[in-house]
Amino acid sequence: MLKRAMFRCGQLCSRVFAVEFDLRTEPLYFTLNSTPQVLHKAYQELFGDDGKLFSLHVHCDNRIEKAQTHAEIKHQLSIALSRDCDVFEASSFIPDVKNSLVKGFFIRDKSTTDLSEDVLKTLQQSKSVCVFSYKREGQYCWQEMLSPVNQVEESVRQYITPAAAAEHHPSTLNIRNSDVFYNMDEAYKVLKECTDIIPESKEVLKLVDEQLETSRGDGFPVIVIEGLDATGKTTLTEALRESLNATLLKSPPQCLAPFRQRFDSEPPLIRRAFYALGNYITAAHIGKESLRAPVIVDRFWHSTAAYAIATAVGGRVENLPEPGSELYKWPEDLLKPNLVLLLTVSPEERLRRLRDRGQDKTIEEAELEVNQLFRLKVEEAYKRIQNPACIIVDASPSPQEVLQQVQHLIRNKYHL
Ligand SMILES: Nc1ncnc2c1ncn2[C@@H]1O[C@H](COP(=O)(O)OP(=O)(O)OP(=O)(O)O)[C@@H](O)[C@H]1O
Ligand SMILES: Nc1ccn([C@H]2C[C@H](O)[C@@H](COP(=O)(O)O)O2)c(=O)n1
């Protein structure tokens, strides 16, 4: 309750709120003020003309619990609310303060029933959930706390006050060590914190402990093949293995395959830590194998970071961390490949290949298909990662031509 009260009245009022009413435009930014503020029309329209409005945020000191509660609420809202309700991503943050982002939702209920209010009141019974409702009177809009079930609490009005757009999209504030990990210890810690609720974490950590050994002398070249799904990575990496007499490795490595589905169903914090650790295990395998032969790697850190950043950052490509941001920096303790090639094909060709393949798609792959914005962000994030940056390969020609193109690139560099 103390946290909720702070959120309502105290330090958290200096926060800025961002609501993604429309993923193709800027979020709507506002702060809260105890004195009424005259709002211009755009805000008046969004806050009050069309249905009942609520916001919901999750506050919790335990990051695992917070991530799981957020995911659970997202699921609850998707099944419990009526079709007349729109759910938007919303967040609150302190401008330029890293890790200050608190994720939540904005709910617009255009129905004539009280269903959404009842659902939200039930959710608010959890001590880490804070729900507000929004009211409008003339040119003023305010927020007040939704009274929990069986509790009539005197609500304090906080008036909506327009705020300047954030220089960087707020979601970028929390990427480090929540979505992308820049050293092994940080990812390791996340799984360690999960061992009680996800017993498989222990087994993954055991595998990490057993396999670690990333040092590598001047061995054979290590070439990573990256790209969105169905761009031809498997086809190319297998052809390269044969033509170069190379060892083919993957990230995540085969030893993590039994755990992948489990971690894919977890919120980003846990899921991304799992993939990050997978890269370190693969790095240990690369270290050994590259002493014997050239190594081809199907996906590595570029994939882990690009998918994580593109998922964490809502909306448009412009919302991504800007080129040169430290968020695109290779982890200090992860083995660096000699060459990273990014396979690209047109969206139409990718869809054709996906359809021809006709196999089950993971949720994320299915999302790629429908979500053009997400695909563009993944590809752009790939291109922004530096040191090593990826070399773009046009993978639309036939498999044989793509192989020749890549052999040419490798030969130029290594005379293999
Ligand atoms: N150069 C190419 N031209 C036409 N079709 C191709 C080419 N390369 C691969 N394909 C076909 O496209 C489909 C996807 O290829 P592949 O499985 O190699 O992609 P991928 O990048 O490994 O996918 P994923 O990441 O989802 O495993 C397959 O049916 C494959 O036969
Ligand atoms: N090194 C890796 C490999 C994969 N991922 C994640 C990113 C996508 O969610 C998904 C794609 O893998 P695929 O379906 O092609 O096997 O896995 C990652 O984060 N890091």
Side-chain angles (χ1 to χ4, degrees), residues 228-235 299 349 352-353 357 365 395 397-399 402:
L228 292 168
D229 51 294
T231 48
K233 295 181 298 301
T234 308
T235 309
R299 290 198 191 273
E349 173 62 11
R352 195 187 60 72
R353 291 184 189 181
R357 193 165 60 175
E365 281 178 72
S398 71
V402 176

mmCIF file of all heavy atoms in Angstrom, residues 228-235 299 349 352-353 357 365 395 397-399 402, ligand 1:
data_model
loop_
_atom_site.group_PDB
_atom_site.id
_atom_site.type_symbol
_atom_site.label_atom_id
_atom_site.label_comp_id
_atom_site.label_asym_id
_atom_site.label_seq_id
_atom_site.Cartn_x
_atom_site.Cartn_y
_atom_site.Cartn_z
ATOM 1 N N LEU A 228 16.764 -13.008 -40.322
ATOM 2 C CA LEU A 228 15.419 -13.372 -39.866
ATOM 3 C C LEU A 228 15.161 -14.829 -40.239
ATOM 4 O O LEU A 228 15.893 -15.399 -41.056
ATOM 5 C CB LEU A 228 14.395 -12.476 -40.565
ATOM 6 C CG LEU A 228 14.411 -11.003 -40.172
ATOM 7 C CD1 LEU A 228 13.558 -10.201 -41.152
ATOM 8 C CD2 LEU A 228 13.860 -10.831 -38.769
ATOM 9 N N ASP A 229 14.118 -15.404 -39.665
ATOM 10 C CA ASP A 229 13.804 -16.790 -39.997
ATOM 11 C C ASP A 229 13.457 -16.894 -41.489
ATOM 12 O O ASP A 229 12.945 -15.948 -42.086
ATOM 13 C CB ASP A 229 12.634 -17.283 -39.137
ATOM 14 C CG ASP A 229 11.472 -16.337 -39.187
ATOM 15 O OD1 ASP A 229 11.627 -15.208 -38.699
ATOM 16 O OD2 ASP A 229 10.426 -16.686 -39.763
ATOM 17 N N ALA A 230 13.780 -18.048 -42.041
ATOM 18 C CA ALA A 230 13.510 -18.368 -43.459
ATOM 19 C C ALA A 230 14.300 -17.520 -44.455
ATOM 20 O O ALA A 230 13.938 -17.453 -45.625
ATOM 21 C CB ALA A 230 12.010 -18.292 -43.759
ATOM 22 N N THR A 231 15.369 -16.913 -44.010
ATOM 23 C CA THR A 231 16.210 -16.181 -44.968
ATOM 24 C C THR A 231 17.245 -17.120 -45.597
ATOM 25 O O THR A 231 17.984 -16.700 -46.488
ATOM 26 C CB THR A 231 16.925 -14.985 -44.286
ATOM 27 O OG1 THR A 231 17.511 -15.437 -43.062
ATOM 28 C CG2 THR A 231 15.975 -13.838 -44.001
ATOM 29 N N GLY A 232 17.328 -18.352 -45.097
ATOM 30 C CA GLY A 232 18.223 -19.340 -45.715
ATOM 31 C C GLY A 232 19.452 -19.672 -44.892
ATOM 32 O O GLY A 232 20.423 -20.213 -45.427
ATOM 33 N N LYS A 233 19.413 -19.440 -43.577
ATOM 34 C CA LYS A 233 20.590 -19.704 -42.733
ATOM 35 C C LYS A 233 20.945 -21.198 -42.712
ATOM 36 O O LYS A 233 22.098 -21.558 -42.900
ATOM 37 C CB LYS A 233 20.352 -19.222 -41.282
ATOM 38 C CG LYS A 233 20.177 -17.719 -41.157
ATOM 39 C CD LYS A 233 19.977 -17.276 -39.738
ATOM 40 C CE LYS A 233 18.741 -17.848 -39.092
ATOM 41 N NZ LYS A 233 17.468 -17.512 -39.771
ATOM 42 N N THR A 234 19.914 -22.048 -42.472
ATOM 43 C CA THR A 234 20.193 -23.491 -42.389
ATOM 44 C C THR A 234 20.756 -23.989 -43.714
ATOM 45 O O THR A 234 21.765 -24.709 -43.744
ATOM 46 C CB THR A 234 18.892 -24.252 -42.044
ATOM 47 O OG1 THR A 234 18.322 -23.642 -40.889
ATOM 48 C CG2 THR A 234 19.147 -25.720 -41.776
ATOM 49 N N THR A 235 20.120 -23.578 -44.802
ATOM 50 C CA THR A 235 20.559 -24.015 -46.131
ATOM 51 C C THR A 235 22.011 -23.606 -46.370
ATOM 52 O O THR A 235 22.845 -24.416 -46.779
ATOM 53 C CB THR A 235 19.637 -23.366 -47.195
ATOM 54 O OG1 THR A 235 18.287 -23.619 -46.824
ATOM 55 C CG2 THR A 235 19.924 -23.903 -48.585
ATOM 56 N N ARG A 299 23.296 -18.350 -36.071
ATOM 57 C CA ARG A 299 22.827 -17.387 -35.061
ATOM 58 C C ARG A 299 23.793 -17.308 -33.875
ATOM 59 O O ARG A 299 24.281 -18.317 -33.382
ATOM 60 C CB ARG A 299 21.434 -17.724 -34.514
ATOM 61 C CG ARG A 299 20.287 -17.527 -35.490
ATOM 62 C CD ARG A 299 18.989 -17.466 -34.694
ATOM 63 N NE ARG A 299 17.784 -17.530 -35.501
ATOM 64 C CZ ARG A 299 17.194 -16.471 -36.054
ATOM 65 N NH1 ARG A 299 17.707 -15.274 -35.918
ATOM 66 N NH2 ARG A 299 16.081 -16.617 -36.736
ATOM 67 N N GLU A 349 9.621 -12.448 -50.532
ATOM 68 C CA GLU A 349 10.366 -13.696 -50.740
ATOM 69 C C GLU A 349 10.408 -14.495 -49.434
ATOM 70 O O GLU A 349 10.263 -15.719 -49.433
ATOM 71 C CB GLU A 349 11.781 -13.362 -51.253
ATOM 72 C CG GLU A 349 12.738 -14.530 -51.357
ATOM 73 C CD GLU A 349 12.312 -15.637 -52.327
ATOM 74 O OE1 GLU A 349 11.357 -15.444 -53.107
ATOM 75 O OE2 GLU A 349 12.930 -16.728 -52.270
ATOM 76 N N ARG A 352 7.175 -16.162 -48.958
ATOM 77 C CA ARG A 352 7.032 -17.284 -49.889
ATOM 78 C C ARG A 352 7.785 -18.498 -49.338
ATOM 79 O O ARG A 352 7.277 -19.606 -49.303
ATOM 80 C CB ARG A 352 7.591 -16.879 -51.262
ATOM 81 C CG ARG A 352 7.168 -17.807 -52.395
ATOM 82 C CD ARG A 352 7.867 -17.484 -53.695
ATOM 83 N NE ARG A 352 9.321 -17.594 -53.616
ATOM 84 C CZ ARG A 352 9.994 -18.738 -53.532
ATOM 85 N NH1 ARG A 352 9.338 -19.878 -53.499
ATOM 86 N NH2 ARG A 352 11.312 -18.743 -53.463
ATOM 87 N N ARG A 353 9.002 -18.255 -48.836
ATOM 88 C CA ARG A 353 9.801 -19.374 -48.295
ATOM 89 C C ARG A 353 9.146 -19.975 -47.053
ATOM 90 O O ARG A 353 9.139 -21.185 -46.864
ATOM 91 C CB ARG A 353 11.219 -18.900 -47.965
ATOM 92 C CG ARG A 353 12.023 -18.558 -49.205
ATOM 93 C CD ARG A 353 13.447 -18.191 -48.849
ATOM 94 N NE ARG A 353 14.140 -17.661 -50.017
ATOM 95 C CZ ARG A 353 15.404 -17.281 -50.013
ATOM 96 N NH1 ARG A 353 16.115 -17.353 -48.908
ATOM 97 N NH2 ARG A 353 15.982 -16.805 -51.104
ATOM 98 N N ARG A 357 7.793 -23.765 -46.851
ATOM 99 C CA ARG A 357 8.309 -24.664 -45.823
ATOM 100 C C ARG A 357 7.153 -25.298 -45.052
ATOM 101 O O ARG A 357 7.201 -26.450 -44.662
ATOM 102 C CB ARG A 357 9.224 -23.875 -44.875
ATOM 103 C CG ARG A 357 10.027 -24.730 -43.985
ATOM 104 C CD ARG A 357 11.146 -23.965 -43.332
ATOM 105 N NE ARG A 357 10.641 -22.848 -42.514
ATOM 106 C CZ ARG A 357 11.434 -22.099 -41.766
ATOM 107 N NH1 ARG A 357 12.713 -22.307 -41.745
ATOM 108 N NH2 ARG A 357 10.927 -21.123 -41.044
ATOM 109 N N GLU A 365 7.794 -16.015 -34.648
ATOM 110 C CA GLU A 365 7.842 -16.076 -36.110
ATOM 111 C C GLU A 365 6.497 -15.645 -36.688
ATOM 112 O O GLU A 365 6.446 -14.914 -37.672
ATOM 113 C CB GLU A 365 8.166 -17.495 -36.570
ATOM 114 C CG GLU A 365 9.632 -17.848 -36.469
ATOM 115 C CD GLU A 365 9.864 -19.278 -36.901
ATOM 116 O OE1 GLU A 365 9.777 -19.551 -38.095
ATOM 117 O OE2 GLU A 365 10.099 -20.109 -36.021
ATOM 118 N N ALA A 395 20.352 -12.500 -50.011
ATOM 119 C CA ALA A 395 20.114 -13.951 -50.052
ATOM 120 C C ALA A 395 18.944 -14.319 -50.951
ATOM 121 O O ALA A 395 18.401 -15.418 -50.865
ATOM 122 C CB ALA A 395 19.893 -14.476 -48.644
ATOM 123 N N PRO A 397 19.009 -14.658 -54.414
ATOM 124 C CA PRO A 397 19.290 -15.596 -55.514
ATOM 125 C C PRO A 397 19.182 -17.055 -55.058
ATOM 126 O O PRO A 397 18.903 -17.326 -53.883
ATOM 127 C CB PRO A 397 20.726 -15.260 -55.915
ATOM 128 C CG PRO A 397 21.026 -13.936 -55.327
ATOM 129 C CD PRO A 397 20.165 -13.806 -54.118
ATOM 130 N N SER A 398 19.474 -17.968 -55.979
ATOM 131 C CA SER A 398 19.351 -19.403 -55.675
ATOM 132 C C SER A 398 20.348 -19.798 -54.580
ATOM 133 O O SER A 398 21.358 -19.108 -54.384
ATOM 134 C CB SER A 398 19.654 -20.210 -56.938
ATOM 135 O OG SER A 398 21.051 -20.104 -57.204
ATOM 136 N N PRO A 399 20.101 -20.923 -53.880
ATOM 137 C CA PRO A 399 21.024 -21.354 -52.829
ATOM 138 C C PRO A 399 22.472 -21.445 -53.337
ATOM 139 O O PRO A 399 23.405 -21.048 -52.637
ATOM 140 C CB PRO A 399 20.490 -22.729 -52.431
ATOM 141 C CG PRO A 399 19.041 -22.681 -52.762
ATOM 142 C CD PRO A 399 18.914 -21.795 -53.955
ATOM 143 N N VAL A 402 23.918 -17.947 -53.645
ATOM 144 C CA VAL A 402 24.195 -17.348 -52.323
ATOM 145 C C VAL A 402 25.475 -17.966 -51.758
ATOM 146 O O VAL A 402 26.350 -17.258 -51.241
ATOM 147 C CB VAL A 402 23.000 -17.559 -51.347
ATOM 148 C CG1 VAL A 402 23.328 -17.025 -49.958
ATOM 149 C CG2 VAL A 402 21.743 -16.894 -51.878
HETATM 150 N N1 LIG B 1 18.484 -19.128 -51.741
HETATM 151 C C1 LIG B 1 17.284 -19.685 -51.633
HETATM 152 N N2 LIG B 1 16.360 -19.574 -52.611
HETATM 153 C C2 LIG B 1 15.141 -20.128 -52.482
HETATM 154 N N3 LIG B 1 14.730 -20.826 -51.414
HETATM 155 C C3 LIG B 1 15.590 -20.955 -50.403
HETATM 156 C C4 LIG B 1 16.919 -20.415 -50.450
HETATM 157 N N4 LIG B 1 17.554 -20.695 -49.296
HETATM 158 C C5 LIG B 1 16.664 -21.395 -48.548
HETATM 159 N N5 LIG B 1 15.513 -21.570 -49.219
HETATM 160 C C6 LIG B 1 14.292 -22.259 -48.738
HETATM 161 O O1 LIG B 1 13.652 -21.364 -47.827
HETATM 162 C C7 LIG B 1 13.175 -22.062 -46.679
HETATM 163 C C8 LIG B 1 13.877 -21.508 -45.429
HETATM 164 O O2 LIG B 1 15.265 -21.782 -45.517
HETATM 165 P P1 LIG B 1 16.128 -22.142 -44.239
HETATM 166 O O3 LIG B 1 15.438 -23.187 -43.425
HETATM 167 O O4 LIG B 1 17.499 -22.414 -44.720
HETATM 168 O O5 LIG B 1 16.037 -20.736 -43.490
HETATM 169 P P2 LIG B 1 16.486 -20.349 -41.990
HETATM 170 O O6 LIG B 1 16.986 -18.957 -42.088
HETATM 171 O O7 LIG B 1 17.411 -21.372 -41.454
HETATM 172 O O8 LIG B 1 15.128 -20.398 -41.212
HETATM 173 P P3 LIG B 1 14.903 -20.506 -39.611
HETATM 174 O O9 LIG B 1 15.692 -19.451 -38.947
HETATM 175 O O10 LIG B 1 13.431 -20.266 -39.460
HETATM 176 O O11 LIG B 1 15.316 -21.912 -39.220
HETATM 177 C C9 LIG B 1 13.493 -23.537 -46.922
HETATM 178 O O12 LIG B 1 12.349 -24.148 -47.458
HETATM 179 C C10 LIG B 1 14.634 -23.510 -47.937
HETATM 180 O O13 LIG B 1 14.634 -24.661 -48.758
#
